[in-house]
Structure formats: structure tokens, C-alpha cells
Amino acid sequence: MEVKTIQKFEKEARKSAGFDFMRLGIALVFVIVVMFYALHISGGISNNIFLGIATIFGAYMAMNIGANDVANNVGPAVGSKALTLGGAIIIAAIFEAAGALIAGADVTNTIRKGIIDLNTFANVDTFIWAMMAALLSAALWLNLATYFKAPVSTTHSIVGGVMGAGIAAGGFGIVHWATMGKIAASWVISPILGGIIAAAFLYTIKKSVVFQENKVEAAKKWVPIFVAIMAWAFTTYLTLKGLKHVWKDITDVLSFLPHTKKPTMLIASIFGIIVAGVTFVIVKSNIAKNAQKIDNSRDGINSLFTIPLIFSAILLSFAHGANDVANAVGPLAAITDAIMSGGISAKAGIPLWVMAVGGIGISIGLALYGPKLIKTVGSEITELDQIRGFSIALAAAITVIVASQLGLPVSSTHIAVGAVFGVGFLREFMKLEENKEEEIKKEIQTYEENIKILTIKLDELQKKENKQKNDYEKILELFEEIEQTEKILKKAKKILKKEEKTEYVKRDMLKKIVAAWIITVPVAGFFSAMIFFVIKGMMV
């Protein structure tokens, strides 16, 4: 028996090792292909070897974003079983790449919103080395965080990399510390906003639908409203964050739209209201038509949120591809521009091939190494169902909209993970609403009252004079009944104690993720500074 068990373990180990080797092989092929392409298009230009190496770092960075950051978009849908893991990976891979290539940034600020002062760089070579160090350090930190199953912010990783390389190249005075202060503020603002909004929607759905006696009737009234709110939020979110890069092209075709630099909140909201109205009518009609088939239970209501959750995964992935990919390949775009032009520019256009490296790299990284973080976000922080997943996805979109209008710095990763924690802590807060503890307490009270009544009867019989045979038999019966009831009471108290100690949020995960968030910028910065000095030492 033991030999068979050992053989089974050896077989599984070989299978796992073979799969790991295959994943590494696919990743290496992608890196080599993009490196040769970069060298091919830059042939004859001095320093083009730097572009080849930087492209390797950019491809590595993109794959690490796919392995870590994309989990926030599809994790809730997978954790709630609205999507299978395989289905989520396919959807995310397609729409991340589509977002990057269709609505990716035409121009990006390569120094991440003025983190460092470009004028302090001594020459172009120093700038190229700094950007290479920033790219590699951010990728290494994301790789490390993924290994330890900690979802961290891509933007914060690249910010830390740029900051660290900048300090190494030009000293602490090169950093714009006011900007860094805003980024640090997002560590607190993002998860709290996401958690509060997700918990608020979950509480509202529970009160208005789940806790109602006639859940189906309540669902007819409220579910179309909730889904319409989601339609408004995602349309507004996608217009503001995804279409801003192609807004000029859209206004050229649709001349009746205002010819602004990017879509305004008013225009985005109007688009959102139109889509929300159509969604409301469709969902209301669909629920009314299928009301007889919906089970009057929590599971029945959960099923109504499955399709909205799938759409949320699609839209979040598209918007993420349109925005965060540009952030990820920003340093690569800066290096490309510096090598091609021979100068340093605060802004640089991102060539299509660089966006392709980011978009395709993210899809490959997600497919090869993404499942680990998807499972972490979807099931290892707190248990999710479709209603909870819906609340998290909705919170992610609304938080970004609110924060952008208030000018608050936020991280999409911190928002999504904060929303998961918010849902989990609300579950703990609302344990009494689930009626489990209340029912146990009522049972305990009943048992205690029964013991009191039985004890009184026993005392009366024991004090009785001239006892008959049946009196003694009754005394024995009472003793046994009291003993049996006390055993049941003891067991009920143990169950209650266990129920009261139940934690719906895993504290170890909370501590690990918060710690990873706090150290992201300094660790990425430290890695970047070390890498910069290594590159400089090799080149000088």
C-alpha cells in the first residue's frame, strides 16, 4: 500500500514538473520572439542592444501583470462560480489584449505623473539605464508577490521602480515627494472606499431581497434596479477610463458629441443612463417571464446575478487592458523613444508593437501563472457567491468613478481586494441576520428552562413522605432526563461558542496582503536602485 502511495506521489510530481517546464518554455519563446523583433526594427541604430534587453524586461513585466494584477478582474466571478477558472482565463486574456490594442494609450507620461525630474539626468544613457532598472525591478517584485499569493498594485510597483532608479541616478532631490505622498495615500483610500461600497451594496441586496419571505417577488422589483446600476457604472467607467484614448476618433465620426480632449463625466453618465435604461427593461422582462422557474431561496436569487458577473469580468478586463498596460510598458516606450530619437522626452508615443508586447504578454502570463492569484482573490480571503461577487465588481467600478471625480489617488488592485474584505467583514457583522446564532440561543434557553422545571419536580418528589414504588421510578426517570438535557445543553453551548468565533475573513491573508501593499513601493525602489548600479557598473 505504501509503495503504491509513493509511486502515485512520484507520478504527480513528474506531471507537475513537466507542466512547469512547458510553462517556462512558452514564456521564453515569447520573450525571445519580441526581443528579436525589437532588434530587427531598430537595426543600424546605436544602442539598439539596450532596446532588445529592455524589450525582454517589458515582456517579463507584462507576463507578471497577467499573473498577478488580472486576478482582481475575474477572481470574484471565479470564486462565486459564475465562471470556471478556464472560462475566466479565456475571457480575461481576450479582453485584456483587446483593451490594450484597441483603447490603449496613444501617449503616456513615461515618468508616471511627474514622479521624477527628467532635467536632472546627466545624459540619455543614464536615463535608459534608469528606465531598464525600473522595468526589471517592478517585474521582479510582481513575480515575488505572485509566488507568495499576494495581489499587489502594478502601478505602485512601477512607481517604486522609477523612484528607486531616479534616486540612484540623481539623488533624493530628483523625486517629486508631493506626488509620492498622494500615491501613499491611495494605500488607505483605495481599499477603504472599495470595502465600504461593496459592503453597502451587499447589505442593501440582503435586506431588500435575500431576507424577504417572498424572495422571487422582491427580486422582480429590485434585481433589475441593481443590474441597471451596474450597467450605468460600467458604461460610465469604461467611457471615462477606456474610451479617453480614442475619444478624438469617436468625436470625428460622431460630430454631434462635444469635441473635448477626453469624455467628460456628464457625457459618460449620459451614456451610462442610456445603457442602464435598456438593461433595466431587458432584465425586468426576463425575470418576469421566468419567475416560475426561479427557486424562492438564496440560491435561486444568486442565479440572477451570474450573467451580470460575467459581463463585469469582461468589462473590467477591457478597461484594465486599456489603462494598466500603458502604465506597464511606459518605461519600455520611454526607452524606445530615447534610443530612436537620441533624447529624453517627458511624454512619448507608445508604438503599436510595444502595446502588443504588453497586451499579449499579459494574456500569456495570465494563462500560464494566473490561476494561483485568481484562486486567492476568489476564494482564499472569504467565501464568495454571485451576490457577493456582484457587489465587489460593482464597487470596483463605482469607486474608480467617485475617486476620479474627487481627484483621489486610487489603485484598482487595492479597490478590488478591499471590496472582497469589505464583503467578508460584513458577513461577520451580519451573522445574527443569518439566524444561526439566534436559533441556537433560543434552543439553549429552552433546555435551561426544561432543566429548571425538571429540577423542581425532582425536589418535590424527593421531599414527599411515604413514597410509593412509582415515585422512586419517577425520581430515577427525572434524574436521567435532567442528565440527558444537560448533555444536550452542553453540546449546544459548544456549538454557539464555535459559531461566535467563526471568522468569515482569513486574518492571515489580511495581514499578508496589507504588508505586501505597504512594502511594494520601497521594495521595488530598492531592487531598482541595485539594478541601476549594476547596469551602470557594467557600462562605465
Side-chain angles (χ1 to χ4, degrees):
M1 188 67 182
E2 288 181 7
V3 172
K4 286 183 178 179
T5 304
I6 292 168
Q7 287 175 342
K8 189 176 178 181
F9 277 128
E10 286 177 347
K11 187 178 178 181
E12 289 297 320
R14 282 196 298 271
K15 186 178 175 182
S16 177
F19 183 59
D20 288 342
F21 184 76
M22 182 191 73
R23 290 191 300 183
L24 183 61
I26 293 170
L28 284 173
V29 167
F30 172 66
V31 169
I32 291 167
V33 167
V34 297
M35 179 196 70
F36 277 114
Y37 181 81
L39 292 173
H40 171 71
I41 63 169
S42 61
I45 298 174
S46 62
N47 279 344
N48 76 325
I49 189 66
F50 283 124
L51 183 58
I53 296 169
T55 306
I56 292 173
F57 294 167
Y60 176 48
M61 173 68 172
M63 287 189 288
N64 276 293
I65 293 172
N68 190 293
D69 210 22
V70 180
N72 310 309
N73 303 329
V74 297
V78 173
S80 63
K81 296 181 173 59
L83 275 173
T84 62
L85 183 60
I89 288 171
I90 291 169
I91 283 173
I94 292 169
F95 287 95
E96 285 280 343
L101 297 173
I102 295 170
D106 293 323
V107 176
T108 187
N109 190 333
T110 58
I111 46 123
R112 280 301 301 148
K113 299 180 183 177
I115 292 166
I116 55 176
D117 183 1
L118 294 178
N119 296 323
T120 56
F121 282 103
N123 51 54
V124 175
D125 285 347
T126 305
F127 175 72
I128 292 171
W129 302 339
M131 291 300 104
M132 288 176 66
L135 204 51
L136 181 56
S137 65
L140 286 170
W141 168 242
L142 282 173
N143 200 158
L144 191 63
T146 303
Y147 177 79
F148 287 107
K149 299 201 292 187
V152 295
S153 169
T154 298
T155 303
H156 289 181
S157 301
I158 202 70
V159 162
V162 172
M163 182 191 74
I167 291 171
F172 284 92
I174 198 172
V175 178
H176 293 161
W177 292 105
T179 302
M180 290 306 302
K182 289 180 181 179
I183 291 165
S186 75
W187 297 338
V188 178
I189 295 167
S190 300
I192 289 177
L193 267 179
I196 289 171
I197 293 173
F201 272 103
L202 179 60
Y203 183 82
T204 305
I205 295 170
K206 279 176 174 283
K207 281 291 188 179
S208 60
V209 182
V210 178
F211 291 159
Q212 298 300 312
E213 192 171 336
N214 191 335
K215 295 176 174 58
V216 176
E217 203 59 39
K220 285 182 186 178
K221 178 182 177 183
W222 288 103
V223 171
I225 295 173
F226 291 128
V227 178
I229 292 171
M230 174 180 247
W232 171 84
F234 273 105
T235 304
T236 305
Y237 172 84
L238 202 58
T239 302
L240 290 172
K241 306 297 283 185
L243 298 185
K244 64 182 180 181
H245 310 307
V246 291
W247 186 246
K248 187 179 181 299
D249 299 326
I250 292 172
T251 54
D252 288 342
V253 176
L254 304 175
S255 57
F256 61 87
L257 291 171
H259 287 254
T260 52
K261 194 174 181 181
K262 58 184 180 180
T264 62
M265 181 63 188
L266 178 61
I267 289 295
S269 295
I270 290 171
F271 285 177
I273 290 168
I274 293 168
V275 174
V278 174
T279 302
F280 177 84
V281 173
I282 292 170
V283 174
K284 191 173 182 66
S285 173
N286 187 54
I287 293 176
K289 194 184 295 181
N290 298 293
Q292 300 297 327
K293 300 175 185 177
I294 301 169
D295 188 30
N296 190 41
S297 65
R298 187 188 180 101
D299 288 340
I301 302 305
N302 258 317
S303 65
L304 299 175
F305 291 94
T306 300
I307 293 175
L309 251 181
I310 294 171
F311 272 101
S312 76
I314 290 171
L315 295 172
L316 282 171
S317 296
F318 185 88
H320 182 269
N323 290 277
D324 285 39
V325 175
N327 294 338
V329 296
L332 178 56
I335 293 166
T336 304
D337 181 69
I339 289 172
M340 296 294 191
S341 67
I344 303 171
S345 174
K347 290 192 175 185
I350 300 186
L352 183 61
W353 74 269
V354 173
M355 290 303 296
V357 169
I360 297 169
I362 281 179
S363 299
I364 292 172
L366 170 67
L368 297 179
Y369 298 101
K372 182 186 287 188
L373 262 293
I374 290 173
K375 288 175 183 175
T376 297
V377 174
S379 59
E380 293 181 9
I381 295 173
T382 191
E383 186 182 337
L384 298 178
D385 58 16
Q386 286 95 319
I387 293 174
R388 294 171 197 146
F390 175 86
S391 302
I392 291 162
L394 185 52
I398 290 179
T399 304
V400 171
I401 294 168
V402 171
S404 64
Q405 294 311 299
L406 295 175
L408 299 172
V410 291
S411 159
S412 59
T413 300
H414 292 192
I415 290 168
V417 176
V420 175
F421 281 118
V423 162
F425 282 121
L426 181 70
R427 291 180 65 207
E428 289 188 11
F429 180 74
M430 293 185 71
K431 277 194 295 184
L432 287 176
E433 300 277 7
E434 303 289 347
N435 295 324
K436 290 180 181 178
E437 291 180 34
E438 208 57 43
E439 286 175 10
I440 297 169
K441 285 177 181 178
K442 284 178 182 177
E443 286 180 12
I444 289 171
Q445 191 177 358
T446 303
Y447 294 140
E448 287 175 340
E449 287 173 358
N450 287 344
I451 290 170
K452 285 179 184 177
I453 293 168
L454 292 171
T455 304
I456 290 168
K457 287 182 179 179
L458 180 62
D459 288 343
E460 287 175 354
L461 274 174
Q462 286 180 326
K463 290 175 182 177
K464 184 180 176 182
E465 296 180 0
N466 303 320
K467 296 182 187 71
Q468 301 297 318
K469 182 181 178 182
N470 63 331
D471 291 327
Y472 286 107
E473 289 174 353
K474 187 67 176 174
I475 288 169
L476 286 173
E477 286 176 11
L478 286 169
F479 267 120
E480 288 175 2
E481 196 172 347
I482 289 169
E483 187 180 359
Q484 192 64 30
T485 307
E486 283 177 342
K487 284 181 181 177
I488 296 170
L489 176 63
K490 191 176 180 181
K491 189 176 181 181
K493 284 182 176 179
K494 279 185 179 179
I495 292 170
L496 178 63
K497 193 174 181 182
K498 186 179 178 182
E499 190 67 30
E500 286 174 338
K501 283 185 176 179
T502 300
E503 292 179 344
Y504 292 122
V505 174
K506 294 176 182 175
R507 266 53 176 181
D508 288 343
M509 286 301 298
L510 175 63
K511 292 173 186 174
K512 180 169 75 173
I513 290 172
V514 170
W517 287 353
I518 292 169
I519 66 173
T520 290
V521 170
V523 169
F526 175 77
F527 285 173
S528 186
M530 295 300 102
I531 293 166
F532 174 82
F533 285 126
V534 169
I535 295 172
K536 185 178 179 181
M538 291 170 65
M539 301 307 300
V540 175

